[in-house]
């Protein structure tokens, strides 16, 4: 998966929203609230930049980008982003509810709910990539020590579980970017229209169209073998040849998390 393919319309929308939120909306708020000296606010801001920037970076620079050279950067940026996400939530929760009444209750409740979605996406995405790595290692050990063929039932089951774990990781990391990071930014943008009713309407519209998460995630996930169209073989020799080629391609195209 190369860099140009990852720079799709969904990613560009997320970048534009992030750029407005971080560089247009946030600086005046910092000055207006004299928040530079607030430890809680600065921790929250650091967490926001880490998780938002890290999510944008990692959805662009996937492990196979730049012929695999992006893999170590993807891993370490992801770890920093996950830590930043926890800091972001903890500091943001504190700022939203303590002292009570500083923010409208509906706003504090909404932001807290989105923060819970953010933590959920981080947790499930992290556990999914751990499961993917364990299954990949198990498959490699079986192939090297026991010589198990890739078309056996055990190998098929492990391979399907491994692919499902990778897809879960991709889906929840995209959810983290689009919903966990995008919703708070969109809330501020929508509120500029004037009234709470208009802001709520825009948010409901965005929520109902959150299929963007699935659409975005699908740009990283190739068709599974079950979804591939059936092939017709003129004879058994051609079928065997194609199967051998497919197995070789599968080995050559292994994805590193």
């Amino acid at each position: 998966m190369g860099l140009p393919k990852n720079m799709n319309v969904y990613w560009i929308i997320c970048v534009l929203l992030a750029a407005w939120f971080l560089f247009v909306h946030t600086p005046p708020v910092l000055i207006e609230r004299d928040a530079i000296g607030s430890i809680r606010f600065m921790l929250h801001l650091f967490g926001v930049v880490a998780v938002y920037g890290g999510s944008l970076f990692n959805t662009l620079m996937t492990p196979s980008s730049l012929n695999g050279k992006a893999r170590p950067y993807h891993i370490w940026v992801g770890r920093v982003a996950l830590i930043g996400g926890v800091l972001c939530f903890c500091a943001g929760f504190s700022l939203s509810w303590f002292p009570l009444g500083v923010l409208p209750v509906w706003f504090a409740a909404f932001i807290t709910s989105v923060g819970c979605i953010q933590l959920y996406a981080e947790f499930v995405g992290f556990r999914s990539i751990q499961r993917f790595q364990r299954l990949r290692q198990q498959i490699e050990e079986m192939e090297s020590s026991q010589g198990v063929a890739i078309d056996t039932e055990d190998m098929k089951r492990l391979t399907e579980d491994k692919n499902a774990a990778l897809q879960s990781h991709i889906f929840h990391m995209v959810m983290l970017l689009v919903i966990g990071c995008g919703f708070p930014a969109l809330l501020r943008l929508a509120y500029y229209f004037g009234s709470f009713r208009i802001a709520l309407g825009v948010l409901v519209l965005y929520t109902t169209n959150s299929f963007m998460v699935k659409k975005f995630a699908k740009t990283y996930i190739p068709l599974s073998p079950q979804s591939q169209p059936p092939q017709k073989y003129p004879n058994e020799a051609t079928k065997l040849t194609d199967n051998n080629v497919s197995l070789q391609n599968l080995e050559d195209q292994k994805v590193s998390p």
Side-chain angles (χ1 to χ4, degrees), residues 1 62-72:
M1 187 182 303
T62 52
S64 56
S65 296
L66 305 179
N67 296 322
K69 295 179 181 179
R71 184 174 183 270

Side-chain angles (χ1 to χ4, degrees), residues 173-184:
M173 291 300 95
V174 170
M175 179 191 292
L176 172 62
L177 172 60
V178 176
I179 297 181
C181 298
F183 266 30

